[in-house]
Amino acid sequence: MQALKALGQNFLIEESIAEEIVALAELQPSDKVWEIGPGKGILTTEIIKYNVQLRAFEIDKRLQKYLSQRYGNKVLLEFTDILKADWFSYLQKDGSSLKLIANIPYQITSPLLSLLEKYSSFFSRLVLMVQKEVAERLSAKPGNKHYAPLTIRLGLVYDIFSKLQVSREMFYPVPKVNSTVILMLPRANKPLISNPELFNKLLKIAFAHRRKTLANNLLPVLGAEKTAKLAELSQLNFKKRGEELAEEDFILLSDCWAAL
C-alpha cells in the first residue's frame, strides 16, 4: 500500500526499534493503552504481546480491512481522525491512568500535543515518536532557540525525556528529518496557575516577536502605564526577551497582571 503524503504517512520498518519504543511504556497486563496511527501495525503487534486492552485510532480507512483481519478482537479499532474524535467520550470509557504509544504524523504534532495537555489528567505514561526538532523544543531551557510557549505549557503538566534517536532510514518512505522517541510522565508537583487563560495569553504575547524585549511585546497590548506598573509589581527585567524567562517568571507575571 502506497503511503499518502496528505496524511503524513512514514511507516516504521525496523522491528527492533518498535520493541524499544513499546518497552518504554512499561506495559502490564491490566493496562489500558491508546495507539495513534497504527499504520501497518508494527507497534500494534508489539503492544498486544503484553495482553493489554488496546484502542487504536487510524485515520486511513484503506487500512480498515487489513487491520481488522490481522487483529480481530485483540484491538479496539477506531477509524477516525484523532484530532476530531470525541476524546472525552473515549476517555470516559477507558478510565484514567491510560498509557499512550504513537508514531505520529509530524503534521499533527502541535494540535495533538495540545490535546494531550488538555487531557493530561487521564494519562499515566506517554511514549511518542516525534520530529527531532520537536523533542528539542519540548526539552529546551530558557535562552535556547527552541524554547517556546509549547515548552512551557507542556512542562507544567509533564516531565519530558528524550529516550531514543531514530534515523530517518528506519521509515518508508524515508522522511527528510530524523526522529526522537520521547517519554512523557505526569509532573508530580504541578505549579498552580491561578488564571490559565491569562497565563496562555501572556505566553503568546511574550513570544509574538522573539527578538523583541518583553516590554516591547507588552506595550501594544497593555499600553505604557500598565506595562510600567507590571514591571514594578513583578520586579522582573523587562529588557529581557520572552525566551529568556523561566516558567516561574511567567507565573509571577500572570499573577501580577491579574492584580492590575
Side-chain angles (χ1 to χ4, degrees):
M1 187 188 74
Q2 185 176 0
L4 292 179
K5 188 175 181 180
L7 296 179
Q9 288 177 329
N10 298 96
F11 299 116
L12 180 66
I13 57 174
E14 179 54 56
E15 291 183 4
S16 64
I17 299 295
E19 291 174 4
E20 289 186 69
I21 291 170
V22 175
L24 287 170
E26 297 186 356
L27 298 179
Q28 303 296 325
S30 60
D31 286 340
K32 293 184 178 180
V33 184
W34 279 14
E35 183 186 5
I36 297 173
K40 297 181 179 180
I42 190 168
L43 288 176
T44 314
T45 297
E46 190 63 31
I47 293 169
I48 62 174
K49 290 178 181 178
Y50 291 83
N51 296 315
V52 298
Q53 178 185 301
L54 174 61
R55 189 183 298 276
F57 297 87
E58 176 57 59
I59 191 174
D60 190 351
K61 289 183 170 56
R62 297 179 303 161
L63 290 162
Q64 187 163 0
K65 182 178 179 180
Y66 168 78
L67 291 173
S68 297
Q69 289 180 343
R70 183 172 184 181
Y71 297 111
N73 61 5
K74 294 180 180 178
V75 180
L76 299 169
L77 292 167
E78 307 289 349
F79 290 92
T80 185
D81 182 346
I82 189 63
L83 300 183
K84 297 177 181 178
D86 185 347
W87 277 55
F88 189 74
S89 176
Y90 286 119
L91 290 167
Q92 288 298 301
K93 293 176 185 176
D94 294 337
S96 58
S97 297
L98 278 168
K99 293 183 177 180
L100 184 145
I101 303 171
N103 170 23
I104 56 177
Y106 297 147
Q107 65 197 45
I108 72 165
T109 301
S110 290
L112 178 60
L113 288 174
S114 292
L115 284 165
L116 294 175
E117 175 194 359
K118 179 178 180 180
Y119 294 106
S120 60
S121 62
F122 289 91
F123 293 94
S124 64
R125 197 173 186 91
L126 303 95
V127 182
L128 300 179
M129 176 108 71
V130 297
Q131 188 174 334
K132 184 179 179 181
E133 184 180 283
V134 173
E136 290 172 344
R137 188 179 306 150
L138 294 177
S139 60
K141 303 300 181 186
N144 186 290
K145 66 178 182 179
H146 296 290
Y147 190 64
L150 186 65
T151 315
I152 300 165
R153 289 190 358 248
L154 265 295
L156 291 172
V157 289
Y158 294 109
D159 289 320
I160 304 173
F161 310 91
S162 293
K163 286 294 187 178
L164 181 64
Q165 303 302 317
V166 184
S167 168
R168 61 195 187 97
E169 281 78 22
M170 297 295 102
F171 299 87
Y172 181 82
V174 178
K176 295 180 180 179
V177 296
N178 294 319
S179 300
T180 300
V181 178
I182 60 172
L183 173 64
M184 300 169 62
L185 301 175
R187 182 169 167 177
N189 299 307
K190 297 180 177 69
L192 176 65
I193 308 296
S194 56
N195 191 324
E197 186 176 343
L198 190 59
F199 180 84
N200 289 329
K201 182 179 180 179
L202 176 62
L203 289 181
K204 288 180 181 179
I205 294 169
F207 285 87
H209 303 281
R210 293 186 70 99
R211 304 311 300 169
K212 286 188 176 182
T213 64
L214 185 61
N216 286 339
N217 273 326
L218 285 168
L219 276 168
V221 180
L222 293 179
E225 185 178 340
K226 283 191 174 181
T227 300
K229 184 65 174 176
L230 186 57
E232 181 184 345
L233 281 173
S234 67
Q235 292 294 295
L236 291 174
N237 183 0
F238 272 38
K239 292 182 180 179
K240 286 186 174 183
R241 298 190 297 271
E243 64 185 33
E244 297 178 274
L245 300 184
E247 172 192 277
E248 57 268 25
D249 296 327
F250 283 107
I251 295 174
L252 173 61
L253 270 177
S254 175
D255 289 343
C256 291
W257 187 354
L260 287 180

